[in-house]
């Protein structure tokens, strides 16, 4: 284990007819890479008086296709909230369900591709600042976080078949879910194969 929570701290994904949702924050800011090659550039922007920097790891910045994993997780959490169920930041699901829901192949090098996507999502760090307090004596708070906090893939040593996947979302994304700061996506979104088409959508 990589220090992931256990027992009641997990949310089990079992909503398979959920409406797809994405968080508004990562759609508003250009956090995700549109490149199919590793994008290791540091991007910095100013937004409404605050600064935001997206700092990739050596694996590159999370891509717009990696975000399908976040869409699946957020959709599961929103479906549970709408059904009146308790949720947590850590989701556990079968690898097969995740691969199917995000339009990924379930055989071949699926493990490597999923592992790479998790590493980009966890390795893409966001640093931002916010001014708070009275106007006469404001305080600036600068914080940094990843899109996901941690992940774990369990697979059979013989044959390499993936059994289960656990993902812990960042507090930032989880707060977006709790506040229902989400965007409903048409199912046709997942048929868009060009990164720019997805960004424009």
């Amino acid at each position: 284990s990589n220090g992931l929570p256990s027992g009641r701290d997990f949310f089990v994904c079992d909503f398979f007819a959920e409406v797809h949702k994405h968080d508004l924050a990562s759609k508003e800011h250009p956090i995700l890479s549109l490149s199919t090659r590793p994008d290791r550039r540091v991007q910095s922007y100013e937004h409404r008086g605050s600064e935001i920097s997206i700092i990739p790891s050596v694996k590159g910045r999370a891509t717009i296709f990696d975000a399908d994993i976040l869409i699946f997780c957020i959709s599961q959490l929103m479906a549970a909230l709408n059904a009146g169920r308790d949720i947590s930041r850590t989701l556990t699901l079968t690898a097969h369900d995740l691969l199917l829901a995000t339009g990924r192949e379930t055989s071949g090098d699926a493990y490597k591709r999923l592992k790479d996507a998790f590493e980009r999502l966890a390795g893409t760090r966001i640093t931002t600042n916010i001014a708070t307090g009275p106007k006469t004596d404001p305080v600036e708070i600068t914080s940094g976080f990843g899109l996901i906090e941690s992940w774990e893939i369990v697979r059979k040593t013989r044959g390499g078949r993936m059994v289960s996947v656990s993902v812990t979302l960042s507090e930032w994304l989880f707060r977006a879910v709790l506040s229902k700061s989400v965007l409903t996506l048409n199912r046709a979104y997942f048929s868009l194969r060009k990164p720019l088409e997805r960004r424009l959508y």
Side-chain angles (χ1 to χ4, degrees), residues 85-103:
R85 285 174 49 180
D86 292 333
I87 62 172
S88 75
R89 283 199 297 137
T90 299
L91 300 88
T92 185
L93 56 149
T94 67
H96 189 262
D97 290 340
L98 175 62
L99 294 171
L100 281 182
T102 57

Side-chain angles (χ1 to χ4, degrees), residues 27-190:
K27 302 310 281 178
E28 183 179 4
H29 305 298
I31 290 170
L32 304 167
S33 174
L34 302 183
S35 176
T36 54
R37 296 178 179 177
D39 186 349
R40 299 183 183 93
R41 296 172 299 162
V42 174
Q43 305 277 17
S44 295
Y45 307 93
E46 190 170 330
H47 180 74
R48 296 178 185 169
S50 296
E51 295 176 1
I52 180 169
S53 293
I54 300 99
I55 305 162
S57 71
V58 294
K59 297 278 186 176
R61 187 158 46 124
T63 72
I64 203 158
F65 294 104
D66 296 338
D68 288 355
I69 294 168
L70 301 181
I71 292 170
F72 179 78
C73 293
I74 291 167
S75 302
Q76 291 286 314
L77 294 174
M78 285 303 303
L81 277 179
N82 292 334
R85 285 174 49 180
D86 292 333
I87 62 172
S88 75
R89 283 199 297 137
T90 299
L91 300 88
T92 185
L93 56 149
T94 67
H96 189 262
D97 290 340
L98 175 62
L99 294 171
L100 281 182
T102 57
R104 287 165 161 76
E105 292 181 19
T106 56
S107 59
D109 62 347
Y111 167 75
K112 182 185 182 306
R113 288 197 303 271
L114 188 58
K115 179 175 169 285
D116 288 345
F118 279 139
E119 287 182 339
R120 286 189 296 268
L121 287 166
T124 299
R125 308 295 300 175
I126 298 166
T127 301
T128 187
N129 67 328
I130 185 171
T132 186
K135 289 183 179 179
T136 54
D137 190 21
V139 175
E140 180 184 78
I141 300 171
T142 302
S143 59
F145 47 88
L147 292 173
I148 61 176
E149 184 176 297
S150 56
W151 58 273
E152 184 175 272
I153 301 174
V154 177
R155 67 174 181 158
K156 297 284 188 184
T157 29
R158 289 186 179 179
R161 182 177 63 85
M162 290 186 287
V163 179
S164 66
V165 175
S166 296
V167 183
T168 301
L169 298 181
S170 67
E171 282 280 5
W172 179 67
L173 276 177
F174 191 62
R175 281 198 304 268
V177 172
L178 291 176
S179 66
K180 299 190 175 180
S181 299
V182 296
L183 172 74
T184 299
L185 297 177
N186 189 297
R187 229 168 245 283
Y189 172 83
F190 298 96

